[in-house]
Amino acid sequence: MEAYLLDHLAAALRDMGVPDDFAPELETPANADHGDIATSAAMKLARVLRRSPRQIADELAEKLTARLDANRVSAVEVAGPGFINFRFSDAYLSQALADVIAAGDQWGRSDTHQGETALVEFVSANPTGPLTVGHGRNAVLGDVISSLLAATGYEVTREYYFNDAGRQMRVLGQSVAARYRSLVDPSRPTKEIEVAEGETITVPADFPDGGYLGGYIGEIAQTLVDEQGDALMDAGDETPFKVAAQTAIFADITATLQRMQVHMDTHFNEHTLYTDGQVDAVVERLRGKDMVEERDGATWFLTSKLDKLGQDGEPADTVLVKSTGEPTYRLPDIAYHIDKLDRGFSLAVDVFGADHIATYPDVISALDVLGYDTARVDVVIYQFVTLVRAGQPVKMSTRKANYVTLDELMDDVGVDVTRFFFLMRAPGTHLEFDLDLAKEASDKNPVFYLQYAHARTASILRKAGEQGITADGADLSLLTDEMETTLIKELLRMPDVVTRAAEQRAPHLVPVYLRDVAVAFSRFYDNCRIIGEPSDIASARLALADAARQTLANGLGLLGLSAPDRM
């Protein structure tokens, strides 16, 4: 319905001389007495048309009344200073409910972007340690954004980008090597290093500066001892240790993602950007645009020409290659994004943590300089997660490091709850993950509330079946009670919610919507009995209950959550 109304709104506004670039918007009134859907377009156009909002609204309402199908919209009303409220007809509601029922598990989906392709890059953790809670929010956001894009017609590829080379991996190999040698020869010297103020730990004397301290390093080293004995004691460099660590850690990462119901279609190794010459090509292409300069032994991207300012407010350039010859991570990131766009994707979505907020604009700037359509790249920045218990930040114990692993969180609260809580807030807002609430089996727990609502609808269908009540051939025009029509209207919102959530990369809109459906269903069932009513009424209401069940199931499915029939 929203698309139908927006099309006619746009046409009516053009008839009134409104510029084509004005995009009218619709909203659902907080008060049902104000109609089923509304627009404030008249008030926004007052300055453009140099008329009062009320005059504009009166003319617009008249044009819309003439244009709109009375079998779909029963009334177009002007209210207040210039709101236009629309009321759906009973005939439209019953036919639309029939469409919901007919769509089944496809309800909520659309073909808006049929024929377009999207690459969603997310997680992208280097194989230096287990996935943390922060990685978990990234994983779930990327997974559900992918599902939402697919639900609007995109052919979606989920991609994991990682690096198995560079300093981080060298330090990882050196960390495992030091632990391995100390296991083979416990008499080797040790040293104390400080891990927090007033807190030190004992490590092998050859443990690298900035080495990885998690218990998983010792486990990998012990596996090497079990498999190789002392054969690696004289290894010339860290390579065998790095390879063993990368293999073990990436297997752990993959298992964690599978447990969370996250799958990847492709994996992209940053190292290939070097071996294929793509990193060097970026520098030369930027040089050809007079956007690169050698200075102080380093290679600089002249972002000052693009009006980039530094922390001091003065024009600032960006280092691409350090004086040591080591590229900064912006350089391979630019090459990687060129590769994405050269692969022909209509849309490339990046899911990044807040630590990227100051760096990704340089990548976009480089793409723009090189002539790429940067409108095809969309960056989703999410804020980090704080675990709380009894209102206080909490650090869960872990065998792996001084952070909470994603597996530990799932052990504590379960997979469905973990996924849902990561989706409860807009990506750009800080998330407090309430562990007490997450484990509460009551209506206070939002995921429990939604799953229980689905289980309740399934229970109703079972009980009705036991009484011989069926929804086959139901006369949906009988559903005229306020609670019935309110529920129908909620169900009809789903395609628009899914589309908006996909376009805005805002998965949190779906849980909010599903709660509205669950609330509307609860009120409907509390006021509109099924069993014990005349057969025609019972059949129609059962059809509505099943449509609510299907809508909840479809929404939970988009979120990657189970829809239990019993709880």
Side-chain angles (χ1 to χ4, degrees):
M1 177 62 87
E2 281 195 17
Y4 172 77
L5 290 175
L6 286 172
D7 285 345
H8 283 283
L9 257 173
L13 289 169
R14 284 196 298 272
D15 290 346
M16 295 171 62
V18 174
D20 289 342
D21 60 356
F22 177 78
E25 296 178 348
L26 296 171
E27 59 191 58
T28 301
N31 187 338
D33 292 338
H34 296 164
D36 299 314
I37 203 164
T39 181
S40 58
M43 290 181 283
K44 295 178 181 178
L45 287 169
R47 288 188 179 181
V48 176
L49 300 180
R50 297 184 178 182
R51 296 165 58 191
S52 75
R54 186 75 188 205
Q55 288 177 323
I56 297 170
D58 285 339
E59 181 181 351
L60 183 55
E62 182 178 350
K63 289 183 178 295
L64 287 168
T65 299
R67 295 183 62 90
L68 296 173
D69 183 353
N71 287 323
R72 302 183 73 172
V73 179
S74 62
V76 181
E77 304 165 347
V78 177
F83 286 101
I84 298 176
N85 300 328
F86 303 90
R87 297 186 186 277
F88 303 151
S89 70
D90 291 340
Y92 164 72
L93 292 178
S94 59
Q95 180 55 56
L97 177 59
D99 293 340
V100 174
I101 295 168
D105 61 8
Q106 296 300 300
W107 175 241
R109 296 175 175 270
S110 68
D111 59 1
T112 306
H113 293 281
Q114 195 71 36
E116 297 181 63
T117 58
L119 177 73
V120 183
E121 181 229 325
F122 60 109
V123 185
S124 295
N126 288 339
T128 56
L131 295 181
T132 67
V133 170
H135 293 130
R137 190 177 193 191
N138 186 314
V140 176
L141 286 172
D143 186 51
V144 177
I145 287 171
S146 298
S147 295
L148 290 167
L149 291 173
T152 59
Y154 281 101
E155 181 182 339
V156 177
T157 298
R158 293 164 161 89
E159 185 157 281
Y160 190 121
Y161 172 76
F162 70 96
N163 181 19
D164 64 356
R167 180 183 178 279
Q168 283 185 322
M169 297 304 294
R170 289 197 302 274
V171 172
L172 175 68
Q174 291 163 2
S175 301
V176 174
R179 293 291 188 189
Y180 166 84
R181 294 187 177 106
S182 68
L183 287 171
V184 173
D185 180 5
S187 67
R188 291 174 66 84
T190 61
K191 64 182 179 181
E192 297 290 317
I193 63 171
E194 187 175 34
V195 294
E197 187 174 350
E199 182 181 348
T200 62
I201 63 171
T202 302
V203 297
D206 57 347
F207 197 79
D209 292 339
Y212 292 90
L213 298 170
Y216 64 97
I217 297 295
E219 293 171 7
I220 295 169
Q222 183 62 59
T223 298
L224 283 173
V225 172
D226 295 341
E227 295 176 351
Q228 302 286 340
D230 63 359
L232 298 176
M233 284 295 283
D234 297 325
D237 60 26
E238 74 281 349
T239 299
F241 305 99
K242 182 179 72 173
V243 171
Q246 173 194 324
T247 302
I249 292 170
F250 206 75
D252 184 65
I253 289 172
T254 301
T256 300
L257 291 177
Q258 289 176 343
R259 181 182 178 189
M260 187 171 256
Q261 310 300 318
V262 174
H263 79 273
M264 293 292 173
D265 299 306
T266 55
H267 292 79
F268 192 103
N269 190 333
E270 180 183 323
H271 190 60
T272 63
L273 298 170
Y274 295 91
T275 57
D276 293 348
Q278 296 180 70
V279 168
D280 291 338
V282 168
V283 176
E284 293 311 308
R285 290 177 68 181
L286 289 173
R287 196 187 308 277
K289 298 286 186 179
D290 293 324
M291 290 299 294
V292 165
E293 180 179 285
E294 307 298 328
R295 190 166 70 240
D296 303 326
T299 302
W300 296 75
F301 177 27
L302 301 181
T303 44
S304 58
K305 289 186 176 182
L306 306 174
D307 298 324
K308 178 182 176 180
L309 301 180
Q311 292 182 348
D312 58 2
E314 295 298 318
D317 295 325
T318 302
V319 176
L320 292 180
V321 183
K322 301 175 185 177
S323 58
T324 60
E326 182 181 6
T328 63
Y329 53 82
R330 286 178 178 84
L331 181 52
D333 276 359
I334 295 168
Y336 176 44
H337 281 78
I338 288 173
D339 184 274
K340 289 181 183 182
L341 297 181
D342 283 348
R343 280 186 267 166
F345 289 100
S346 312
L347 174 67
V349 178
D350 301 324
V351 183
F352 290 153
D355 54 339
H356 285 72
I357 197 165
T359 58
Y360 81 83
D362 292 332
V363 175
I364 302 298
S365 294
L367 293 174
D368 192 48
V369 166
L370 295 175
Y372 287 90
D373 179 8
T374 54
R376 292 162 57 196
V377 180
D378 189 28
V379 178
V380 178
I381 295 289
Y382 68 93
Q383 295 295 324
F384 296 112
V385 181
T386 300
L387 298 177
V388 297
R389 180 177 282 124
Q392 298 298 316
V394 61
K395 182 184 292 185
M396 297 165 63
S397 62
T398 169
R399 68 179 179 85
K400 296 195 170 183
N402 60 349
Y403 48 74
V404 181
T405 69
L406 185 52
D407 277 311
E408 288 179 304
L409 181 60
M410 289 189 284
D411 288 342
D412 195 36
V413 302
V415 174
D416 276 357
V417 173
T418 298
R419 286 186 64 104
F420 187 90
F421 272 54
F422 282 145
L423 298 168
M424 285 171 55
R425 301 286 181 266
T429 60
H430 178 77
L431 176 64
E432 284 198 350
F433 196 117
D434 189 330
L435 294 167
D436 296 322
L437 180 61
K439 292 191 283 189
E440 187 166 333
S442 75
D443 288 353
K444 293 179 181 179
N445 183 332
V447 65
F448 179 90
Y449 183 78
L450 294 183
Q451 291 181 320
Y452 178 73
H454 181 272
R456 190 180 186 194
T457 60
S459 173
I460 290 166
L461 294 172
R462 287 195 300 271
K463 291 178 181 178
E466 292 168 0
Q467 297 294 319
I469 303 171
T470 176
D472 294 342
D475 182 358
L476 303 180
S477 67
L478 298 174
L479 299 171
T480 57
D481 183 273
E482 179 183 355
M483 296 301 171
E484 296 166 343
T485 58
T486 296
L487 177 55
I488 293 172
K489 291 170 188 176
E490 281 296 341
L491 302 185
L492 298 185
R493 290 177 53 217
M494 188 176 188
D496 295 319
V497 170
V498 171
T499 297
R500 189 162 62 253
E503 297 292 343
Q504 297 177 9
R505 326 290 183 234
H508 67 286
L509 297 179
V510 178
V512 172
Y513 165 70
L514 292 179
R515 182 170 181 85
D516 290 342
V517 171
V519 169
F521 173 78
S522 180
R523 291 172 179 167
F524 153 74
Y525 189 66
D526 289 345
N527 290 276
C528 301
R529 295 190 311 168
I530 295 176
I531 296 174
E533 293 295 302
S535 60
D536 54 351
I537 295 293
S539 180
R541 288 177 175 173
L542 185 63
L544 177 53
D546 194 26
R549 180 203 59 77
Q550 187 69 68
T551 299
L552 288 167
N554 292 358
L556 289 168
L558 283 173
L559 301 179
L561 306 180
S562 62
D565 289 342
R566 290 179 170 83
M567 288 182 71

